[in-house]
Amino acid sequence: MRSDMLTSILTELNGSSADIEASGIISTDGLMIAAVLPAGMDEDRVGAMSAAMLSLGDRTAQELARGELEQVLIKGDRGYVLMTHAGKEAVLTVLAKPNAKLGLIFLDVKRAASSVSEMI
Amino acid sequence: MRSDMLTSILTELNGSSADIEASGIISTDGLMIAAVLPAGMDEDRVGAMSAAMLSLGDRTAQELARGELEQVLIKGDRGYVLMTHAGKEAVLTVLAKPNAKLGLIFLDVKRAASSVSEMI
């Protein structure tokens, strides 16, 4: 099943680094397609915030002449949220720890987003 | 004058790397405090989009348990927008080219944001 394959991409991504806490694939209208989240984290909340950030990120990239949106990164003092387009229809959202090695995570997420976009 | 000193921080920041195209200091309610922008780039637009992204970034960081918001980074195929809190009242927004060395820019922007926050 396709949803099992998407979940296994996320499981592999979460396992690629101890700094990745959670990941999800969300349709561009904010509905969760697949997710591997820790207990207590709400799917709908991750979906809704990802879709809202992507939509405003798209608009910002356009208004400030940055071209087509590829990624949005949010850094808080308790960790990161990284959102990456996975094809036209979906977004890959990853939550990472505060001291995460961003370079490695960017690489792993880019690879996973490309696998997801081939499958959706 | 304080506004001259803020402008000189921005001029120095833009000069620190050829990859930085523009920078501005914006109050958290979206009004421009100081800016060094290329001809043809609209101050009000930069202010409005920065304030909107920061506000949604704050909310996202809270909802997804990432703590207090420090930075928002937007990557488009034609460049980056990097927004960093400069104290409680202001935001430092930087526009950078697509192939910018992000690590260096993060360092320079962090230093500039800290100078700005001492001055506001």
Side-chain angles (χ1 to χ4, degrees), chain A residues 2-79:
Chain A
R2 199 167 60 156
S3 80
D4 290 342
M5 290 168 73
L6 291 171
T7 303
S8 82
I9 293 174
L10 298 181
T11 305
E12 191 180 328
L13 176 62
N14 292 12
S16 69
S17 161
D19 292 330
I20 297 182
E21 294 181 338
S23 61
I25 301 165
I26 297 120
S27 67
T28 43
D29 50 2
L31 298 174
M32 194 60 83
I33 296 171
V36 179
L37 305 178
M41 183 165 285
D42 183 38
E43 279 199 7
D44 293 341
R45 191 174 294 190
V46 176
M49 298 316 300
S50 299
M53 282 300 307
L54 254 289
S55 159
L56 186 59
D58 266 327
R59 171 96 196 273
T60 303
Q62 268 172 34
E63 295 275 5
L64 304 184
R66 301 299 103 186
E68 189 102 356
L69 183 70
E70 295 177 353
Q71 283 185 334
V72 177
L73 176 74
I74 293 173
K75 183 186 183 198
D77 62 357
R78 288 168 54 199

Side-chain angles (χ1 to χ4, degrees), chain A residues 21 41-42 45-46 49-50 52-54 56-57 59-81 83 93 95-98 102 106 110, chain B residues 21 41-42 45-46 49-50 52-54 56-57 59-81 83 93 95-98 102 106 110:
Chain A
E21 294 181 338
M41 183 165 285
D42 183 38
R45 191 174 294 190
V46 176
M49 298 316 300
S50 299
M53 282 300 307
L54 254 289
L56 186 59
R59 171 96 196 273
T60 303
Q62 268 172 34
E63 295 275 5
L64 304 184
R66 301 299 103 186
E68 189 102 356
L69 183 70
E70 295 177 353
Q71 283 185 334
V72 177
L73 176 74
I74 293 173
K75 183 186 183 198
D77 62 357
R78 288 168 54 199
Y80 294 92
V81 186
M83 283 156 275
T93 294
L95 303 186
K97 294 185 180 167
L102 272 189
F106 276 132
K110 202 171 159 187
Chain B
E21 295 181 336
M41 185 165 285
D42 183 38
R45 192 175 292 190
V46 176
M49 297 317 299
S50 299
M53 283 299 306
L54 254 288
L56 187 60
R59 171 96 195 274
T60 303
Q62 268 173 35
E63 295 276 4
L64 304 184
R66 301 298 104 184
E68 189 102 357
L69 183 69
E70 295 176 354
Q71 282 185 334
V72 177
L73 176 73
I74 293 172
K75 184 187 184 197
D77 63 357
R78 290 168 53 201
Y80 294 93
V81 186
M83 284 155 275
T93 293
L95 303 186
K97 294 185 180 166
L102 272 189
F106 276 133
K110 203 172 158 185

Side-chain angles (χ1 to χ4, degrees), chain B residues 6 9 110-120:
Chain B
L6 292 170
I9 292 175
K110 203 172 158 185
R111 197 169 300 137
S114 145
S115 307
V116 168
S117 74
E118 284 166 14
M119 216 171 282
I120 279 181

Side-chain angles (χ1 to χ4, degrees), chain B residues 6-7 10-11 14 23-26 32-37 43 46:
Chain B
L6 292 170
T7 303
L10 297 181
T11 305
N14 291 11
S23 62
I25 301 166
I26 296 120
M32 194 60 82
I33 296 172
V36 179
L37 305 177
E43 281 199 4
V46 176

